[in-house]
Amino acid sequence: MNAIGIFGGTFTPIHNGHIRLAIELRERLRLSRVHLVPSAHPPHRAAPEVQPARRLQWAQLAVAGEPGLVVDDREIRRDGPSYTYDTLAGLRAEAPAGESPAPLVLLLGDDAANQLHTWHRWRELFDLAHLVFVERPYEPLTPAPELASLLRGRRAAAPQALLERPAGLWMSASIPPLAISSTRIRQLLAAGRSIRGLVPQAVLQSLTAEDIRALTHDEDPAQD
Ligand code: ATP
């Protein structure tokens, strides 16, 4: 069955940690494709100064030419808070009638997983998708007790299990760590320092003075 990965974020800006995560997990889990979904109006953080349409363009530049990575603009086309529940429900609703539903696999870094219990309709995410928690440097997985109890009994025995049913399982995955974050990129830019090697070259080349102003708005310069 053609399993689809979903990987959301504010992507302010998208960086090589995001891209490697999507590629590694697509290969490892044998996903037919991974949708990178820029969040338009993230419910749990202040709206980024960089406009959704610009963050979307960076994501498109970042995946250009990479087979199996696609940028999905549905949260930008939708009004209101960008709830992952609605995104998964939308993907489900697109499945051709009469065909058995494809597995959906939501990919989350551990820092996002640690906040999952605060998300809109978070328990019901398991009705729509599998969840894969991806190790992130300096961010151990520490699920809240209510999430831990929901996870009990749902662990996938092997990656193959995710391909055998449409939703409802979870697993952890570790990938070669890349300690890159958008926060650090913004802090380096605020200090007037180079971000080469942290973001895809096409994203780097596209940055305008206005982009750098928006990215560094409210950001403390890197001190290290
Ligand atoms: P910020 O520093 O602004 O919080 P970020 O680098 O964490 O940004 P987001 O857009 O918030 O990036 O993250 C989207 C998703 O990518 C989240 O699930 C996050 O855990 C994951 N992620 C981001 N960077 C990495 C990384 N280097 N390794 C693994 N996962 C990552």
Side-chain angles (χ1 to χ4, degrees), residues 129-196:
H130 302 299
L131 273 67
V132 172
F133 304 133
V134 187
E135 258 179 40
R136 183 166 184 186
Y138 316 121
E139 298 275 359
L141 180 63
T142 51
E146 54 269 53
L147 174 59
S149 79
L150 188 70
L151 296 182
R152 221 159 283 138
R154 292 175 174 271
R155 189 170 201 148
Q160 177 64 23
L162 305 186
L163 305 181
E164 291 167 356
R165 48 187 282 194
L169 301 175
W170 72 277
M171 60 178 280
S172 283
S174 51
I175 58 175
L178 281 178
I180 304 175
S181 70
S182 300
T183 300
R184 176 155 161 82
I185 289 167
R186 295 192 302 270
Q187 290 171 342
L188 288 170
L189 289 172
R193 289 170 57 188
S194 172
I195 59 165
R196 186 173 295 268

Side-chain angles (χ1 to χ4, degrees), residues 20-31 105-111 113 131-137 139-141 155-156 158-159 162 170-178:
R20 285 308 308 167
L21 182 149
I23 293 172
E24 298 268 359
L25 270 294
R26 182 173 105 84
E27 291 177 350
R28 180 133 6 136
L29 304 178
R30 287 188 278 122
L31 305 172
V105 183
L106 180 64
L107 310 175
L108 294 168
D110 280 346
D111 56 317
L131 273 67
V132 172
F133 304 133
V134 187
E135 258 179 40
R136 183 166 184 186
E139 298 275 359
L141 180 63
R155 189 170 201 148
L162 305 186
W170 72 277
M171 60 178 280
S172 283
S174 51
I175 58 175
L178 281 178

